[in-house]
Amino acid sequence: MVEQTNGQMLIGKMQDQGGRPNMEDNIEARPLRTAQGLPLLVAMVADGIGGNNCGEVASQLAIETVFSEMEKAAVENPDQIPQLLAYTLKQANEAVYRAAKADKTKEGMGTTATLAAIHNNKLYLANVGDSRAYLVRDGRVQQITVDHTWAREMVRLGHLSPEDATAHPKGEALVRSIGYSERLEVDLGIYPDGDEEERQARARQGFPLQTNDRLLLCSDGLVKERYKASGHYVEPGEIEQIITRNHADKAAQALVKKAVSRQADDNVSAIVLEMPGSQVTASLPRGVWVGAVVLLLLLGFGAVGALLLGGQDEPVTAVAATETPTVIIPTATAVPELAVSEAGAELLLQPGPEGAEWVIGDGEVQPAKEVETIQFAAEDMLTVINGRNATDQPNISNLILPAQVQLFLDGDTEAQLTAVQDVQDSEETRVRLENGLLLLQMPAGEAIRVVVTNPFGDEAWLETPGLMVVQYQDDPFIFMVACLEVDDYCRLTYQEEPHDLVSGQSICFGGGCPVVGVIQTVDMGMYAYLAPGLIAVATAVPTETETASPTATNTRRPTTPRPGEPTATATVTTVASATADVPAPPPPPPGATATNPPPPTVTNTPPPGATSTNTPRPTNTPVATNTAVSPTNTPVPATNTPVPPTNTAVPPTNTPVPPTDTPVPPTDTPAPPTDTPVPDTDPAPTATTGPPDE
């Protein structure tokens, strides 16, 4: 009797070209049935090999062949699933190999393949190459495939130590791939306990899955070591956090975006499979956890120090827990749904107590004292000039955009709306901040990309639900982004160098910044005044002061100076203790210098409405005053710089010769059900009623 499939399993898929000139990865994940009605959920990641030799053709052909052969297979016994996986991959190998031989332009093409099938909540797995499968269970991430690389093979055979093999120039070269030769050795092992003998790992086919289990299938571009930088594009701990805090679809998107944000030098692909009934884990912002941990550590150190230093007269560091607003929670406020079409969009301007002004293009300036409805056309540019803050209250104006996106403008802020998403094929909403400070609020459930620029072309953007503050002023120069509460991350790009921030972090560039180019923990409560619908929630955060030093006080206003105010020095700020968790910046490309040259001098700032992004910067651009902290804004390598492929297939050195068996269609001899490991010869799956249709 045919068992039911996992109809409620969630599937998430995401790909990005990354730093490669073309997309050679291909992925697929969907339910299917064999010709005999065996229901399966099948997922496959194929990473094409060959670059200009049509790696993308090989990966696409491999996936099409595998899914087609599965649907034609006369298989209904679950015990035959491992043989079915091996058979379909060998058929794919034959198809790719023949295509390469038939066309000289495709010579040398190939692909990796990680193939998973789930039936009755049991996992069956096959692998060729260095694409991977991970199991996320009980807060632990475990790679359950092994990489078929030259380095691992040398270590397995005892020829080299792990360190020497990894450092070898051929370390990442593949020793197994689809299309490289007429013969293919398929790895049918599942490795939840790490690397072991393949024969033992094969016995785990039919691995039982449980509620809250997640599977990740990915190309090596997601998890490989960063190009000329420490760490991986996505670390194992980040995989666990992202997958357990999001359902499958958002998890796949967040994983790929994380790798791309770190300038991944390869295509990046991910499939996330989530077991039925799984729950996402709630999480507090990183700043809250860091604050709590640091507080406990400092309190412990303080107690030990008091015991050790008792009776001494030297001043000691005092640690006090102060109630500091660190979390901002948007309340449920009524935001109207505004119309948007190809021709234009409807906007709503709610001025503050001191009013605002607005103008479309070069038209007549309109004063706004009450709520104004504004029609924005595709060719328009809307300028909003907010009034000054009063002595007793801020003058916050609110510009409401389609999809309930809101811009809260502080007093004396001037902003220009130049594009609205979905208006005349615009893929994003763009705002140019001419002066001042604004808060961007993206509602839950939306994935609109909003880009805020300054007159010099630097950018800050947000494309997931959350809150982001952007500040720009020209004298002294400041361009600052504070990422408050976000589902994923915010980004600031300064002088074409990206800096990614998570909840509770900020970064500032310019001579008016207290600290230049260093990611810091932000007191998010200071921005709660920007919108009446925001509530600051206090959490205990340690404040470390010397007995001889005054204690700084918190204000609701940003600490960065306004035009005309004195510039603060770096000595009054402390680099956040969470900076160890912040992704390291990408390394400079070959030949790049370690420092940024100062920009040229100009005598005036661009007038409102100017569109040039090449305006020279003022001379008082970022100069780090805190020499104890090295700036993070090192040059980023160009994403289109050719990178030698790391997954080029080469024959193994001193490795066993793969079995000579070639794939044959299933025979009429039924395979008896058994719990023993599948033989090494990988025969094609037998059928109970006859061979598959040709």
Side-chain angles (χ1 to χ4, degrees), residues 402-592:
Q404 298 183 321
V405 174
Q406 299 184 76
L407 296 175
F408 296 93
L409 278 60
D410 196 5
D412 283 328
T413 294
E414 179 179 344
Q416 296 175 347
L417 181 67
T418 59
V420 175
Q421 183 168 312
D422 296 330
V423 174
Q424 200 176 19
D425 297 327
S426 178
E427 297 181 354
E428 59 190 16
T429 295
R430 295 189 68 86
V431 179
R432 175 164 156 156
L433 185 58
E434 294 291 330
N435 181 71
L437 182 145
L438 62 80
L439 169 70
L440 165 64
Q441 179 170 348
M442 187 87 70
E446 296 294 340
I448 292 175
R449 179 169 177 171
V450 180
V451 181
V452 182
T453 68
N454 65 19
F456 300 100
D458 303 315
E459 295 184 347
W461 55 256
L462 178 67
E463 60 181 1
T464 58
L467 302 165
M468 179 178 73
V469 172
V470 184
Q471 180 183 6
Y472 166 71
Q473 67 183 41
D474 59 354
D475 187 19
F477 184 89
I478 289 177
F479 190 54
M480 183 277 301
V481 168
C483 192
L484 304 186
E485 292 296 308
V486 293
D487 280 4
D488 196 353
Y489 63 96
C490 310
R491 169 173 290 183
L492 178 147
T493 300
Y494 178 73
Q495 293 183 340
E496 299 184 354
E497 298 169 10
H499 305 268
D500 292 340
L501 312 173
V502 297
S503 294
Q505 294 182 339
S506 67
I507 192 169
C508 185
F509 290 94
C513 299
V515 176
V516 179
V518 177
I519 295 178
Q520 301 185 88
T521 299
V522 62
D523 180 2
M524 294 186 283
M526 74 171 67
Y527 300 110
Y529 76 96
L530 284 169
L534 302 181
I535 301 175
V537 178
T539 57
V541 176
T543 302
E544 183 173 317
T545 59
E546 292 290 333
T547 54
S549 303
T551 302
T553 58
N554 290 318
T555 62
R556 72 173 188 173
R557 303 290 297 168
T559 56
T560 49
R562 290 296 199 177
E565 295 179 0
T567 302
T569 61
T571 56
V572 299
T573 61
T574 303
V575 177
S577 59
T579 52
D581 296 328
V582 178

Side-chain angles (χ1 to χ4, degrees), residues 38-129:
L38 181 68
L40 300 170
L41 178 67
V42 180
M44 180 174 172
V45 171
D47 183 356
I49 301 168
N52 294 330
N53 293 330
C54 301
E56 64 274 19
V57 175
S59 61
Q60 182 63 37
L61 180 57
I63 284 183
E64 291 175 352
T65 302
V66 165
F67 277 78
S68 174
E69 291 294 331
M70 282 197 172
E71 291 175 323
K72 292 191 301 182
V75 173
E76 66 173 350
N77 187 343
D79 293 332
Q80 294 179 285
I81 295 177
Q83 291 176 297
L84 178 62
L85 299 182
Y87 171 75
T88 57
L89 286 179
K90 289 180 179 181
Q91 290 295 98
N93 180 73
E94 182 177 347
V96 173
Y97 182 77
R98 287 180 177 177
K101 290 296 183 182
D103 187 346
K104 289 296 183 181
T105 64
K106 297 182 176 65
E107 186 175 359
M109 74 175 182
T111 182
T112 68
T114 296
L115 176 62
I118 298 174
H119 173 78
N120 197 28
N121 294 339
K122 292 181 179 179
L123 172 66
Y124 303 85
L125 197 61
N127 185 45
V128 177

